[in-house]
Amino acid sequence: AGTNPALKGRLTQNGINYGLQVGMSVLQSHLKTMSIPDQSGSYSVPIIGDVDYRVSGMKIQDFELQYSEVGFVPGTGIKLSIAHARIVITGNWHVEIGRA
């Protein structure tokens, strides 16, 4: 008769708090190197007319989380809550406004 090899471990609140710190650090580093696709479009505004816009060359300069929390949810898994996030994005924008 053979036995089934297994690995059993325990994840504590301190462990998932540490994982959150490491994960957020990796996320911040990744976001600063990520490129954001250019955006463009148009829409019609009463009285003003058509508005055409183009946003290009966007780059994330800073990303900050004021509040993040991770914890256990019995019978489900782990829950991550994020609130009061701040992001600074730079880029170029162009708008044209015309009469409809």
Side-chain angles (χ1 to χ4, degrees):
T3 60
N4 293 328
L7 176 65
K8 188 175 184 179
R10 177 184 291 192
L11 186 59
T12 65
Q13 184 65 47
N14 284 343
I16 61 173
N17 286 344
Y18 175 74
L20 175 64
Q21 289 176 347
V22 171
M24 289 302 160
S25 176
V26 169
L27 178 63
Q28 285 180 326
S29 296
H30 177 69
L31 285 175
K32 288 184 178 181
T33 62
M34 190 174 96
S35 62
I36 300 171
D38 294 348
Q39 303 290 316
S40 64
S42 63
Y43 53 94
S44 182
V45 178
I47 302 173
I48 294 176
D50 292 333
V51 177
D52 298 320
Y53 65 91
R54 185 174 60 251
V55 182
S56 61
M58 291 184 287
K59 189 148 180 79
I60 296 172
Q61 298 297 317
D62 192 22
F63 176 74
E64 190 177 291
L65 293 173
Q66 297 293 323
Y67 172 82
S68 59
E69 178 181 66
V70 66
F72 293 105
V73 179
T76 303
I78 297 175
K79 176 183 176 184
L80 172 64
S81 299
I82 296 173
H84 306 291
R86 182 179 80 88
I87 189 166
V88 176
I89 300 174
T90 59
N92 305 307
W93 61 278
H94 179 79
V95 175
E96 290 183 20
I97 299 172
R99 297 248 173 230

